[in-house]
Amino acid sequence: MLSLENAKDILFNELERALLVPINVESVPLWEAGGRILAGDVVAQEDVPAFDRSPIDGYALIASDTIGAAVDHPATLKIIDTVAAGSYSKKMLVPGTAMKIFTGAPLPQGANCIIKKEEVTEARSKLGSLSEVIIKRAVVRGEGIATKGEDISLGEPLFESGTVLTSAHMGILATLGIDPVPVFVKPQIGIFSTGNELVDVHRPPEHGQLRASNIYTLAEIIRQAGGIPVNLGVVKDRIEDVIQVYKKARQLGLPVVISTGGTASGDYDVIKEAMDGISTSRLFNKVAIRPGAPVVASIKKGQLLIGLSGNPAGAAVAMLLLVFPVISKLAGTKKQLEQSKGKLTTPIFRKAGLRGFLWAGYYEQNGCLYAAPFKNQFCGAMKTHAKSNCLIEIPAGKVNLPAGDLVTIWKLP
């Protein structure tokens, strides 16, 4: 059996060699770019702000006019204009003058500082118009000014290719006028279930039958990784039926096809033989993890075929640890499950076994992460997965971990 890391390296190498990661780039309107993966570095082509401006409501003036100003000896300046956001003044300040200015307005010509309106006294003429501003302290050159390029400078590298665009990125792209936006095309990933006992989710199962639930779990993991799941349905445990699905996936041009079920060594486990039936090159047959060990991977002419366990926990764990980062890379990003260290809240004992992963919940308390494994860890468990926000990793072999021991946790997406 391969280690998880070796299996992942093999799949990554095949992506680079045969699938040319990422496959395609497209331009989408900025309005629709949120959540997509940026296909190219973004470098600022302009300053933000593009001009010196006021971050406050106040008065623009010349600092030297306020030298020596005090409560008992104020400076009095003549107001010659008013500047609002979105407009500008054609006049130039000269010594002894000021302009009323509002938040976001460009700094007038000749001005070199701004004082808040709350700090001054406004004097009005006999006709009621604002004519003078009285300043009772010295104002420093540059005070109260948001300078050109203060937030973003021309030529500044901002976002790297592979960035998942969030609300914060969207605002900057809009500010810089980047529309449309180059993004990686979401890879379409085929997925199907095998099993004579399985029926479609819309059908009531008869005695001994089960609804095909795994493909819905795995489809959402595909979406979280940046792909688009393509439902190839539920297939009986017949080699020829599985081969037909693989042929259909090739006709659809799907770069990756994932199946769940039929990867062990029983009479009805047909995935390996079906892969052999279409002349694939086998990459590996098992991965040394529990649950989820029976992972089969093959490749044929740039198409990657991955077979996962039919057990809900085994399929989900292998999908999260091994396949999630592969699809992420195919989608143009580098997302993987984040790893951290946490203290066990309850002990874990085991006599023997493969490197294990347990459904768990982590939380932070007093600056420390704690990890609480759930009791129900059997392979058919689904509710435990739903309650979890992480996996606790335990080493292979005999395990005797008391409460308080540090363990590796893999945070779920």
Side-chain angles (χ1 to χ4, degrees), residues 61 72 100 150 159 186-187 203 217 237 321 348 353 392 399 403:
L61 48 97
D72 58 351
K100 190 170 187 177
E150 181 181 63
F159 314 132
K186 291 184 177 183
R203 284 181 53 188
T217 302
D237 290 320
L321 297 178
I348 297 175
I392 291 176
V399 174

Side-chain angles (χ1 to χ4, degrees), residues 359 373-385 387-388:
W359 298 117
F374 294 115
K375 291 181 179 180
N376 187 355
Q377 298 288 339
F378 75 93
C379 284
M382 290 184 284
K383 188 171 67 176
T384 313
H385 178 189
K387 293 165 59 179
S388 300

Side-chain angles (χ1 to χ4, degrees), residues 112-173:
N112 60 19
C113 62
I114 298 172
I115 188 171
K116 293 178 181 179
K117 69 176 184 178
E118 293 85 1
E119 295 188 66
V120 304
T121 301
E122 300 169 343
R124 296 185 179 275
S125 68
K126 294 179 181 179
L127 297 177
S129 61
L130 197 61
S131 60
E132 292 180 333
V133 60
I134 299 171
I135 301 169
K136 300 177 182 180
R137 71 168 178 87
V139 185
V140 179
R141 183 184 183 94
E143 181 180 336
I145 297 173
T147 58
K148 177 182 178 180
E150 181 181 63
D151 188 9
I152 298 171
S153 301
L154 173 66
E156 180 183 349
L158 294 172
F159 314 132
E160 294 182 347
S161 178
T163 298
V164 180
L165 296 175
T166 67
S167 56
H169 300 114
M170 297 291 285
I172 292 176
L173 293 175

Side-chain angles (χ1 to χ4, degrees), residues 71 97 113 238 243-244 276 377 380:
V71 174
T97 65
C113 62
R238 290 191 292 264
I243 287 175
Q244 289 305 311
D276 294 341
Q377 298 288 339

